[in-house]
């Protein structure tokens, strides 16, 4: 299931699961296309198992930085250094091309086959740096209040009172639990 947090770097953190979202190359390919880093369901042709560990490592580091921010703590220097190093790499280059209908759409220059792991990691790491250094986005950063949920998202709701990563999942679970509690409380002893 796809979770859209409002930022690519937070979407990567959400792949931690359960279930593990980037357990294999197919999972990473699906995530890359779902996140919009590669065009429509066409993962890079040379995506292999060597890509898994760098993406998992970046996910861990971004998750640690976001958790520190949510707790009002200073970020871990090692994680910050690794994210900064990844962000300093060149991101994938974008080109405008015509789709079959003649409209301009974004594509990766050279096609998906030409994009390397480092460029995609740089794009995600740069998104994390932008998130963590933007005061407005940092103020909208939230952890889901759903029981057992560890997802983090940007609260873009009107009034900034969103409580759950998903109203359909975590929100519904909480509403059902409150309803059951009311029903049980109303039953005669």
């Amino acid at each position: 299931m796809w979770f859209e947090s409002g930022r690519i770097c937070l979407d990567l953190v959400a792949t931690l699961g359960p279930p593990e979202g980037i357990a294999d190359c197919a999972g990473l390919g699906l995530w890359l296309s779902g996140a919009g880093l590669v065009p429509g369901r066409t993962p890079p042709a040379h995506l292999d198992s060597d890509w898994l560990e760098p993406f998992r490592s970046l996910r861990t580091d971004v998750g640690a930085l976001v958790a520190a921010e949510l707790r009002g703590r200073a970020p871990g220097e090692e994680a910050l250094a690794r994210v900064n190093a990844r962000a300093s790499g060149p991101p994938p280059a974008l080109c405008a091309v015509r789709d079959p209908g003649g409209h301009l759409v974004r594509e990766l220059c050279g096609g998906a086959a030409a994009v390397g792991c480092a460029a995609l990691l740089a794009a995600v790491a740069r998104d994390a740096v932008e998130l963590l250094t933007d005061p407005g986005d940092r103020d909208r950063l939230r952890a889901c209040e759903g029981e057992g949920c560890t997802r983090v998202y940007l609260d873009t709701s009107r009034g900034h009172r969103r409580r759950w990563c998903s109203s359909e999942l975590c929100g519904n679970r909480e509403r059902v639990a409150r309803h059951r509690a009311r029903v049980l409380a109303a039953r005669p002893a």
Side-chain angles (χ1 to χ4, degrees):
M1 186 185 119
W2 180 255
F3 168 67
E4 190 170 328
S5 66
R7 293 302 290 246
I8 292 172
C9 63
L10 298 178
D11 292 343
L12 177 63
V13 172
T15 66
L16 189 53
E20 167 65 61
I22 51 174
D24 53 23
C25 293
L28 179 57
L30 285 173
W31 182 81
L32 289 168
S33 60
L37 290 170
V38 296
R41 304 280 181 225
T42 55
H46 54 282
L47 188 156
D48 62 28
S49 60
D50 292 341
W51 289 39
L52 296 174
E53 184 51 37
F55 273 93
R56 289 177 184 153
S57 176
L58 180 60
R59 175 180 67 187
T60 300
D61 289 337
V62 171
L65 296 175
V66 167
E69 182 61 38
L70 285 169
R71 292 183 184 111
R73 296 186 181 152
E77 292 302 316
E78 298 84 16
L80 185 60
R82 287 189 296 267
V83 169
N84 282 333
R86 292 273 190 213
S88 68
L94 295 175
C95 300
V97 298
R98 297 216 180 266
D99 68 6
H103 301 94
L104 289 177
V105 295
R106 278 184 292 185
E107 274 287 334
L108 297 173
C109 290
V115 176
C117 181
L120 294 170
L121 287 165
V124 178
R126 189 169 284 116
D127 184 61
V129 169
E130 290 171 4
L131 166 68
L132 295 168
T133 59
D134 182 310
D137 280 352
R138 279 196 321 259
D139 287 345
R140 296 182 308 155
L141 195 57
R142 304 281 187 275
C144 181
E145 293 179 22
E147 185 175 329
C149 186
T150 59
R151 290 185 173 158
V152 179
Y153 58 90
L154 283 186
D155 181 0
T156 57
S157 67
R158 192 170 38 201
H160 305 290
R161 293 183 305 230
R162 183 173 160 192
R163 297 178 49 208
W164 306 294
C165 63
S166 165
S167 182
E168 292 82 24
L169 294 176
C170 289
N172 191 51
R173 280 188 208 121
E174 183 153 328
R175 287 188 293 273
V176 167
R178 284 193 313 238
H179 173 72
R180 285 184 182 151
R182 283 192 307 270
V183 168
L184 286 173
R187 283 186 181 166

